[in-house]
Amino acid sequence: MIFIIGSTVIGLAGALLLNEKFIGRIFLRGLLVLPWACPWLIVGIIWKWFLDGNIGLFNGVLIRLHLISNYKDFLSDPNWALVMTALAATWRQSCLVALLLLAGLQTLPRDIWDAASVDGAGIFQRFRHITLPWLRPALTVVTVLNVIYGLMQFDVIFAMTQGGPGSSTTLLSYLIYRQFFIFTNFGVGSALAVALAIIALIGGLIAVKTLYRKIEV
């Protein structure tokens, strides 16, 4: 849920920001592509360094802010490991979400927004009644992609924790890998793979059913 909701909310916020006119907007749009262009495995390696319990930048920032007193290995803590891997995946996925939603915002006629403003609609009313309905098809695509990526996430887990500590980050996708390539239980691995595909299909259908509305003229 952290991955699905977080990447959607952060991506939507980024798209709304980059849709406005300000100095450096084109440069920031270019930077948005870089995290998304990184392979998932590289994202996991980068975040593993970032969260390192000895020299990680994340610990350094927390110490400077006086939120912690000593360096902490978050990836070795069962209470934090899954959260941190979800945040790493969210960081990359939110860039793709922002790009997709920004494309949707570019098609929104400015006249509709301006007319609502003249009629006295506030910024939140315009966002709720104009922007969100307009972005519903894009949000549907984004949600389906997030559900699929979230359920089938493997590379970040493999690079950061390899399913540990213990089994705190052993997602179904990583469990399939272990059954196939470590324990060579091909029957169990195949059954789990089919189950994962069915779960992803059901999750995608639920997302489409929830978000998609037929527009009648």
Side-chain angles (χ1 to χ4, degrees), residues 18-71:
L18 294 176
N19 193 50
E20 300 297 324
K21 294 182 180 180
F22 58 89
I23 299 176
R25 179 180 65 168
I26 297 178
F27 175 73
L28 290 178
R29 286 182 178 179
L31 288 180
L32 194 65
V33 180
L34 295 180
W36 172 67
C38 289
W40 284 106
L41 187 64
I42 301 301
V43 171
I45 295 173
I46 292 173
W47 273 76
K48 186 175 183 179
W49 290 343
F50 179 64
L51 298 169
D52 188 271
N54 297 313
I55 59 173
L57 177 62
F58 184 67
N59 276 280
V61 172
L62 293 181
I63 289 177
R64 289 296 183 90
L65 295 175
H66 302 290
L67 297 177
I68 59 175
S69 57
N70 297 305
Y71 273 67

Short mmCIF file of all heavy atoms in Angstrom, two decimals, residues 18-71:
data_model
loop_
_atom_site.label_atom_id
_atom_site.label_comp_id
_atom_site.label_asym_id
_atom_site.label_seq_id
_atom_site.Cartn_x
_atom_site.Cartn_y
_atom_site.Cartn_z
N LEU A 18 4.84 20.55 -12.02
CA LEU A 18 5.54 20.72 -13.29
C LEU A 18 4.62 21.18 -14.41
O LEU A 18 5.09 21.54 -15.49
CB LEU A 18 6.21 19.41 -13.69
CG LEU A 18 7.35 18.95 -12.77
CD1 LEU A 18 7.87 17.60 -13.19
CD2 LEU A 18 8.47 19.98 -12.75
N ASN A 19 3.31 21.17 -14.17
CA ASN A 19 2.38 21.70 -15.16
C ASN A 19 2.26 23.22 -15.09
O ASN A 19 1.74 23.84 -16.02
CB ASN A 19 1.00 21.07 -14.95
CG ASN A 19 0.07 21.32 -16.11
OD1 ASN A 19 0.42 21.10 -17.27
ND2 ASN A 19 -1.14 21.78 -15.81
N GLU A 20 2.75 23.80 -13.99
CA GLU A 20 2.72 25.25 -13.84
C GLU A 20 3.92 25.88 -14.55
O GLU A 20 4.91 25.23 -14.84
CB GLU A 20 2.73 25.62 -12.36
CG GLU A 20 1.55 25.09 -11.58
CD GLU A 20 0.23 25.65 -12.07
OE1 GLU A 20 0.20 26.82 -12.45
OE2 GLU A 20 -0.77 24.89 -12.07
N LYS A 21 3.80 27.17 -14.81
CA LYS A 21 4.88 27.90 -15.49
C LYS A 21 5.79 28.56 -14.46
O LYS A 21 5.34 29.36 -13.64
CB LYS A 21 4.29 28.96 -16.43
CG LYS A 21 3.50 28.38 -17.59
CD LYS A 21 2.98 29.48 -18.50
CE LYS A 21 2.20 28.90 -19.68
NZ LYS A 21 1.67 29.97 -20.58
N PHE A 22 7.06 28.19 -14.48
CA PHE A 22 8.06 28.81 -13.61
C PHE A 22 9.44 28.59 -14.22
O PHE A 22 9.63 27.73 -15.09
CB PHE A 22 7.98 28.24 -12.18
CG PHE A 22 8.19 26.75 -12.11
CD1 PHE A 22 9.44 26.20 -11.97
CD2 PHE A 22 7.09 25.89 -12.19
CE1 PHE A 22 9.63 24.83 -11.91
CE2 PHE A 22 7.25 24.53 -12.12
CZ PHE A 22 8.53 24.00 -11.98
N ILE A 23 10.39 29.35 -13.76
CA ILE A 23 11.76 29.25 -14.28
C ILE A 23 12.35 27.89 -13.90
O ILE A 23 12.30 27.48 -12.74
CB ILE A 23 12.63 30.40 -13.73
CG1 ILE A 23 12.06 31.75 -14.18
CG2 ILE A 23 14.07 30.24 -14.20
CD1 ILE A 23 12.79 32.93 -13.61
N GLY A 24 12.93 27.22 -14.86
CA GLY A 24 13.55 25.92 -14.61
C GLY A 24 12.62 24.74 -14.76
O GLY A 24 13.00 23.61 -14.44
N ARG A 25 11.41 24.98 -15.25
CA ARG A 25 10.43 23.89 -15.36
C ARG A 25 10.92 22.82 -16.33
O ARG A 25 10.81 21.62 -16.05
CB ARG A 25 9.08 24.45 -15.82
CG ARG A 25 8.01 23.38 -15.99
CD ARG A 25 6.70 23.96 -16.45
NE ARG A 25 6.79 24.55 -17.78
CZ ARG A 25 5.74 24.91 -18.51
NH1 ARG A 25 4.52 24.76 -18.02
NH2 ARG A 25 5.89 25.44 -19.71
N ILE A 26 11.47 23.23 -17.47
CA ILE A 26 11.94 22.27 -18.47
C ILE A 26 13.08 21.43 -17.91
O ILE A 26 13.15 20.21 -18.13
CB ILE A 26 12.37 23.01 -19.75
CG1 ILE A 26 11.18 23.73 -20.38
CG2 ILE A 26 12.98 22.02 -20.75
CD1 ILE A 26 11.52 24.52 -21.61
N PHE A 27 13.97 22.07 -17.14
CA PHE A 27 15.09 21.35 -16.54
C PHE A 27 14.59 20.30 -15.55
O PHE A 27 15.07 19.16 -15.54
CB PHE A 27 16.02 22.34 -15.85
CG PHE A 27 17.14 21.70 -15.09
CD1 PHE A 27 18.21 21.12 -15.77
CD2 PHE A 27 17.14 21.67 -13.70
CE1 PHE A 27 19.25 20.52 -15.08
CE2 PHE A 27 18.17 21.08 -13.00
CZ PHE A 27 19.23 20.50 -13.69
N LEU A 28 13.61 20.66 -14.72
CA LEU A 28 13.07 19.72 -13.75
C LEU A 28 12.33 18.58 -14.43
O LEU A 28 12.36 17.45 -13.97
CB LEU A 28 12.14 20.45 -12.78
CG LEU A 28 12.81 21.41 -11.79
CD1 LEU A 28 11.77 22.09 -10.92
CD2 LEU A 28 13.83 20.66 -10.92
N ARG A 29 11.67 18.89 -15.54
CA ARG A 29 11.00 17.81 -16.29
C ARG A 29 12.02 16.82 -16.82
O ARG A 29 11.78 15.61 -16.85
CB ARG A 29 10.20 18.41 -17.44
CG ARG A 29 8.91 19.10 -17.01
CD ARG A 29 8.15 19.62 -18.23
NE ARG A 29 6.88 20.24 -17.85
CZ ARG A 29 6.04 20.78 -18.71
NH1 ARG A 29 6.32 20.76 -20.01
NH2 ARG A 29 4.90 21.32 -18.30
N GLY A 30 13.17 17.33 -17.23
CA GLY A 30 14.24 16.43 -17.70
C GLY A 30 14.78 15.56 -16.57
O GLY A 30 15.03 14.37 -16.76
N LEU A 31 14.95 16.17 -15.39
CA LEU A 31 15.44 15.40 -14.24
C LEU A 31 14.46 14.31 -13.84
O LEU A 31 14.87 13.28 -13.29
CB LEU A 31 15.69 16.32 -13.04
CG LEU A 31 16.88 17.26 -13.11
CD1 LEU A 31 16.97 18.09 -11.84
CD2 LEU A 31 18.18 16.48 -13.33
N LEU A 32 13.19 14.53 -14.11
CA LEU A 32 12.16 13.56 -13.73
C LEU A 32 12.36 12.23 -14.44
O LEU A 32 11.97 11.18 -13.93
CB LEU A 32 10.78 14.13 -14.06
CG LEU A 32 9.56 13.43 -13.46
CD1 LEU A 32 9.56 13.56 -11.95
CD2 LEU A 32 8.28 14.04 -14.03
N VAL A 33 12.98 12.27 -15.61
CA VAL A 33 13.17 11.05 -16.39
C VAL A 33 14.28 10.17 -15.81
O VAL A 33 14.25 8.94 -15.94
CB VAL A 33 13.48 11.41 -17.86
CG1 VAL A 33 13.68 10.15 -18.70
CG2 VAL A 33 12.37 12.26 -18.44
N LEU A 34 15.27 10.79 -15.13
CA LEU A 34 16.45 10.06 -14.70
C LEU A 34 16.14 8.91 -13.74
O LEU A 34 16.60 7.78 -13.96
CB LEU A 34 17.47 11.03 -14.08
CG LEU A 34 18.05 12.07 -15.05
CD1 LEU A 34 19.04 12.97 -14.32
CD2 LEU A 34 18.73 11.38 -16.22
N PRO A 35 15.39 9.14 -12.64
CA PRO A 35 15.09 7.99 -11.76
C PRO A 35 14.31 6.90 -12.46
O PRO A 35 14.55 5.71 -12.24
CB PRO A 35 14.28 8.63 -10.62
CG PRO A 35 14.65 10.07 -10.64
CD PRO A 35 14.87 10.40 -12.08
N TRP A 36 13.36 7.30 -13.31
CA TRP A 36 12.56 6.32 -14.02
C TRP A 36 13.41 5.52 -15.00
O TRP A 36 13.14 4.33 -15.25
CB TRP A 36 11.42 7.01 -14.76
CG TRP A 36 10.66 6.10 -15.66
CD1 TRP A 36 9.86 5.06 -15.30
CD2 TRP A 36 10.65 6.11 -17.10
NE1 TRP A 36 9.34 4.43 -16.42
CE2 TRP A 36 9.81 5.06 -17.53
CE3 TRP A 36 11.26 6.93 -18.05
CZ2 TRP A 36 9.58 4.80 -18.87
CZ3 TRP A 36 11.02 6.67 -19.39
CH2 TRP A 36 10.19 5.62 -19.78
N ALA A 37 14.45 6.14 -15.56
CA ALA A 37 15.32 5.46 -16.52
C ALA A 37 16.25 4.46 -15.85
O ALA A 37 16.81 3.59 -16.52
CB ALA A 37 16.13 6.48 -17.32
N CYS A 38 16.45 4.57 -14.53
CA CYS A 38 17.31 3.64 -13.82
C CYS A 38 16.64 2.27 -13.71
O CYS A 38 15.47 2.20 -13.33
CB CYS A 38 17.63 4.16 -12.41
SG CYS A 38 18.74 5.57 -12.35
N PRO A 39 17.36 1.20 -13.98
CA PRO A 39 16.78 -0.14 -13.76
C PRO A 39 16.45 -0.35 -12.28
O PRO A 39 17.08 0.25 -11.40
CB PRO A 39 17.90 -1.09 -14.22
CG PRO A 39 18.76 -0.26 -15.12
CD PRO A 39 18.68 1.14 -14.60
N TRP A 40 15.46 -1.20 -12.03
CA TRP A 40 15.06 -1.45 -10.65
C TRP A 40 16.22 -1.93 -9.79
O TRP A 40 16.33 -1.56 -8.62
CB TRP A 40 13.93 -2.49 -10.62
CG TRP A 40 12.60 -1.97 -11.04
CD1 TRP A 40 11.96 -2.20 -12.22
CD2 TRP A 40 11.72 -1.13 -10.28
NE1 TRP A 40 10.75 -1.55 -12.25
CE2 TRP A 40 10.57 -0.90 -11.07
CE3 TRP A 40 11.80 -0.55 -9.01
CZ2 TRP A 40 9.51 -0.12 -10.63
CZ3 TRP A 40 10.74 0.23 -8.57
CH2 TRP A 40 9.62 0.43 -9.37
N LEU A 41 17.09 -2.76 -10.35
CA LEU A 41 18.21 -3.28 -9.58
C LEU A 41 19.16 -2.17 -9.15
O LEU A 41 19.65 -2.15 -8.01
CB LEU A 41 18.97 -4.33 -10.40
CG LEU A 41 20.08 -5.08 -9.67
CD1 LEU A 41 19.50 -5.91 -8.53
CD2 LEU A 41 20.84 -5.99 -10.65
N ILE A 42 19.40 -1.21 -10.05
CA ILE A 42 20.27 -0.08 -9.72
C ILE A 42 19.63 0.80 -8.64
O ILE A 42 20.31 1.30 -7.74
CB ILE A 42 20.57 0.76 -10.98
CG1 ILE A 42 21.23 -0.11 -12.05
CG2 ILE A 42 21.43 1.96 -10.64
CD1 ILE A 42 22.54 -0.74 -11.60
N VAL A 43 18.31 0.96 -8.72
CA VAL A 43 17.60 1.71 -7.68
C VAL A 43 17.80 1.05 -6.31
O VAL A 43 18.07 1.72 -5.31
CB VAL A 43 16.10 1.79 -8.01
CG1 VAL A 43 15.32 2.38 -6.84
CG2 VAL A 43 15.88 2.63 -9.27
N GLY A 44 17.72 -0.28 -6.27
CA GLY A 44 17.94 -0.98 -5.01
C GLY A 44 19.34 -0.79 -4.48
O GLY A 44 19.54 -0.59 -3.27
N ILE A 45 20.34 -0.84 -5.34
CA ILE A 45 21.73 -0.65 -4.92
C ILE A 45 21.95 0.77 -4.39
O ILE A 45 22.60 0.97 -3.35
CB ILE A 45 22.69 -0.96 -6.08
CG1 ILE A 45 22.60 -2.45 -6.46
CG2 ILE A 45 24.12 -0.58 -5.72
CD1 ILE A 45 23.39 -2.81 -7.69
N ILE A 46 21.41 1.75 -5.11
CA ILE A 46 21.57 3.15 -4.68
C ILE A 46 20.96 3.35 -3.30
O ILE A 46 21.57 3.97 -2.42
CB ILE A 46 20.92 4.09 -5.71
CG1 ILE A 46 21.70 4.08 -7.02
CG2 ILE A 46 20.83 5.51 -5.15
CD1 ILE A 46 21.04 4.85 -8.14
N TRP A 47 19.75 2.84 -3.10
CA TRP A 47 19.08 3.02 -1.81
C TRP A 47 19.74 2.21 -0.71
O TRP A 47 19.69 2.59 0.46
CB TRP A 47 17.60 2.68 -1.94
CG TRP A 47 16.80 3.86 -2.39
CD1 TRP A 47 16.74 4.37 -3.65
CD2 TRP A 47 15.99 4.71 -1.57
NE1 TRP A 47 15.92 5.48 -3.68
CE2 TRP A 47 15.45 5.71 -2.42
CE3 TRP A 47 15.65 4.72 -0.23
CZ2 TRP A 47 14.60 6.70 -1.94
CZ3 TRP A 47 14.80 5.69 0.25
CH2 TRP A 47 14.29 6.68 -0.60
N LYS A 48 20.36 1.11 -1.04
CA LYS A 48 21.10 0.35 -0.03
C LYS A 48 22.27 1.16 0.49
O LYS A 48 22.56 1.18 1.69
CB LYS A 48 21.57 -0.98 -0.61
CG LYS A 48 22.21 -1.89 0.43
CD LYS A 48 22.56 -3.24 -0.15
CE LYS A 48 23.13 -4.15 0.93
NZ LYS A 48 23.47 -5.50 0.40
N TRP A 49 22.96 1.84 -0.41
CA TRP A 49 24.04 2.74 0.01
C TRP A 49 23.49 3.92 0.80
O TRP A 49 24.05 4.33 1.81
CB TRP A 49 24.80 3.25 -1.21
CG TRP A 49 25.62 2.22 -1.91
CD1 TRP A 49 26.02 1.00 -1.41
CD2 TRP A 49 26.13 2.27 -3.24
NE1 TRP A 49 26.74 0.31 -2.34
CE2 TRP A 49 26.84 1.06 -3.47
CE3 TRP A 49 26.08 3.23 -4.25
CZ2 TRP A 49 27.48 0.79 -4.69
CZ3 TRP A 49 26.71 2.97 -5.46
CH2 TRP A 49 27.40 1.76 -5.66
N PHE A 50 22.39 4.46 0.33
CA PHE A 50 21.77 5.61 0.97
C PHE A 50 21.36 5.30 2.42
O PHE A 50 21.45 6.15 3.31
CB PHE A 50 20.55 6.04 0.15
CG PHE A 50 19.78 7.20 0.71
CD1 PHE A 50 20.36 8.45 0.82
CD2 PHE A 50 18.46 7.05 1.12
CE1 PHE A 50 19.66 9.53 1.34
CE2 PHE A 50 17.75 8.11 1.62
CZ PHE A 50 18.34 9.36 1.74
N LEU A 51 20.91 4.06 2.65
CA LEU A 51 20.43 3.66 3.98
C LEU A 51 21.48 2.90 4.79
O LEU A 51 21.14 2.35 5.85
CB LEU A 51 19.18 2.77 3.84
CG LEU A 51 17.96 3.43 3.18
CD1 LEU A 51 16.90 2.38 2.87
CD2 LEU A 51 17.39 4.50 4.10
N ASP A 52 22.70 2.87 4.31
CA ASP A 52 23.74 2.11 5.00
C ASP A 52 23.85 2.51 6.47
O ASP A 52 23.80 3.70 6.81
CB ASP A 52 25.09 2.34 4.30
CG ASP A 52 26.18 1.44 4.84
OD1 ASP A 52 26.85 1.85 5.81
OD2 ASP A 52 26.35 0.33 4.31
N GLY A 53 24.00 1.51 7.34
CA GLY A 53 24.02 1.77 8.78
C GLY A 53 25.30 2.38 9.28
O GLY A 53 25.38 2.77 10.46
N ASN A 54 26.33 2.48 8.44
CA ASN A 54 27.61 3.05 8.87
C ASN A 54 27.92 4.39 8.21
O ASN A 54 28.40 5.31 8.88
CB ASN A 54 28.75 2.06 8.57
CG ASN A 54 28.60 0.77 9.34
OD1 ASN A 54 28.34 0.78 10.54
ND2 ASN A 54 28.78 -0.36 8.64
N ILE A 55 27.67 4.49 6.91
CA ILE A 55 28.04 5.71 6.19
C ILE A 55 26.87 6.29 5.38
O ILE A 55 27.07 7.19 4.57
CB ILE A 55 29.23 5.45 5.23
CG1 ILE A 55 28.85 4.34 4.23
CG2 ILE A 55 30.47 5.07 6.01
CD1 ILE A 55 29.89 4.12 3.14
N GLY A 56 25.68 5.77 5.58
CA GLY A 56 24.54 6.19 4.77
C GLY A 56 24.16 7.64 4.97
O GLY A 56 24.18 8.16 6.09
N LEU A 57 23.82 8.31 3.87
CA LEU A 57 23.42 9.71 3.92
C LEU A 57 22.15 9.90 4.73
O LEU A 57 21.98 10.91 5.43
CB LEU A 57 23.22 10.24 2.49
CG LEU A 57 22.74 11.68 2.35
CD1 LEU A 57 23.75 12.65 2.95
CD2 LEU A 57 22.49 12.02 0.88
N PHE A 58 21.25 8.94 4.67
CA PHE A 58 19.97 9.05 5.38
C PHE A 58 20.21 9.18 6.88
O PHE A 58 19.60 10.02 7.55
CB PHE A 58 19.11 7.83 5.07
CG PHE A 58 17.73 7.89 5.67
CD1 PHE A 58 16.81 8.83 5.23
CD2 PHE A 58 17.35 7.01 6.66
CE1 PHE A 58 15.53 8.89 5.78
CE2 PHE A 58 16.08 7.05 7.20
CZ PHE A 58 15.17 8.00 6.77
N ASN A 59 21.09 8.36 7.42
CA ASN A 59 21.42 8.45 8.83
C ASN A 59 22.07 9.79 9.17
O ASN A 59 21.79 10.38 10.21
CB ASN A 59 22.36 7.31 9.23
CG ASN A 59 21.62 6.03 9.56
OD1 ASN A 59 21.07 5.87 10.64
ND2 ASN A 59 21.59 5.11 8.60
N GLY A 60 22.94 10.26 8.27
CA GLY A 60 23.59 11.55 8.50
C GLY A 60 22.60 12.69 8.59
O GLY A 60 22.72 13.57 9.46
N VAL A 61 21.61 12.67 7.71
CA VAL A 61 20.58 13.72 7.73
C VAL A 61 19.76 13.64 9.02
O VAL A 61 19.48 14.67 9.66
CB VAL A 61 19.66 13.59 6.50
CG1 VAL A 61 18.47 14.54 6.61
CG2 VAL A 61 20.44 13.86 5.22
N LEU A 62 19.38 12.43 9.43
CA LEU A 62 18.60 12.27 10.66
C LEU A 62 19.37 12.73 11.89
O LEU A 62 18.80 13.33 12.81
CB LEU A 62 18.16 10.81 10.82
CG LEU A 62 17.16 10.28 9.80
CD1 LEU A 62 16.82 8.82 10.10
CD2 LEU A 62 15.89 11.12 9.77
N ILE A 63 20.67 12.47 11.90
CA ILE A 63 21.49 12.91 13.03
C ILE A 63 21.59 14.42 13.05
O ILE A 63 21.49 15.06 14.11
CB ILE A 63 22.88 12.25 12.97
CG1 ILE A 63 22.77 10.76 13.31
CG2 ILE A 63 23.85 12.94 13.93
CD1 ILE A 63 24.08 10.01 13.21
N ARG A 64 21.79 15.04 11.90
CA ARG A 64 21.86 16.50 11.82
C ARG A 64 20.56 17.15 12.28
O ARG A 64 20.58 18.24 12.86
CB ARG A 64 22.20 16.94 10.40
CG ARG A 64 23.62 16.64 9.96
CD ARG A 64 24.62 17.41 10.80
NE ARG A 64 25.98 17.20 10.37
CZ ARG A 64 26.62 17.95 9.47
NH1 ARG A 64 25.98 18.97 8.92
NH2 ARG A 64 27.86 17.69 9.14
N LEU A 65 19.45 16.48 12.01
CA LEU A 65 18.15 17.00 12.44
C LEU A 65 17.81 16.61 13.88
O LEU A 65 16.73 16.94 14.36
CB LEU A 65 17.05 16.49 11.50
CG LEU A 65 17.13 16.96 10.04
CD1 LEU A 65 16.05 16.29 9.20
CD2 LEU A 65 16.99 18.48 9.95
N HIS A 66 18.73 15.89 14.52
CA HIS A 66 18.56 15.45 15.91
C HIS A 66 17.35 14.53 16.09
O HIS A 66 16.73 14.52 17.16
CB HIS A 66 18.44 16.67 16.85
CG HIS A 66 19.61 17.60 16.78
ND1 HIS A 66 20.86 17.28 17.27
CD2 HIS A 66 19.72 18.84 16.23
CE1 HIS A 66 21.69 18.30 17.06
NE2 HIS A 66 21.03 19.25 16.42
N LEU A 67 17.04 13.77 15.04
CA LEU A 67 15.95 12.80 15.14
C LEU A 67 16.44 11.47 15.69
O LEU A 67 15.66 10.69 16.26
CB LEU A 67 15.30 12.60 13.78
CG LEU A 67 14.62 13.85 13.18
CD1 LEU A 67 14.08 13.56 11.80
CD2 LEU A 67 13.51 14.34 14.10
N ILE A 68 17.72 11.18 15.49
CA ILE A 68 18.36 10.01 16.08
C ILE A 68 19.71 10.44 16.63
O ILE A 68 20.26 11.47 16.22
CB ILE A 68 18.54 8.86 15.07
CG1 ILE A 68 19.40 9.31 13.88
CG2 ILE A 68 17.20 8.33 14.60
CD1 ILE A 68 19.71 8.18 12.91
N SER A 69 20.25 9.66 17.56
CA SER A 69 21.54 10.01 18.17
C SER A 69 22.68 9.17 17.62
O SER A 69 23.84 9.59 17.68
CB SER A 69 21.46 9.84 19.70
OG SER A 69 21.08 8.51 20.03
N ASN A 70 22.39 7.98 17.10
CA ASN A 70 23.42 7.10 16.56
C ASN A 70 22.96 6.53 15.22
O ASN A 70 21.77 6.46 14.93
CB ASN A 70 23.70 5.93 17.53
CG ASN A 70 24.25 6.42 18.86
OD1 ASN A 70 25.25 7.12 18.91
ND2 ASN A 70 23.58 6.05 19.94
N TYR A 71 23.93 6.12 14.42
CA TYR A 71 23.61 5.51 13.14
C TYR A 71 22.82 4.23 13.36
O TYR A 71 23.10 3.45 14.27
CB TYR A 71 24.89 5.21 12.35
CG TYR A 71 25.37 6.36 11.51
CD1 TYR A 71 25.84 7.54 12.09
CD2 TYR A 71 25.33 6.28 10.12
CE1 TYR A 71 26.27 8.60 11.31
CE2 TYR A 71 25.77 7.34 9.33
CZ TYR A 71 26.23 8.50 9.94
OH TYR A 71 26.64 9.55 9.16
#
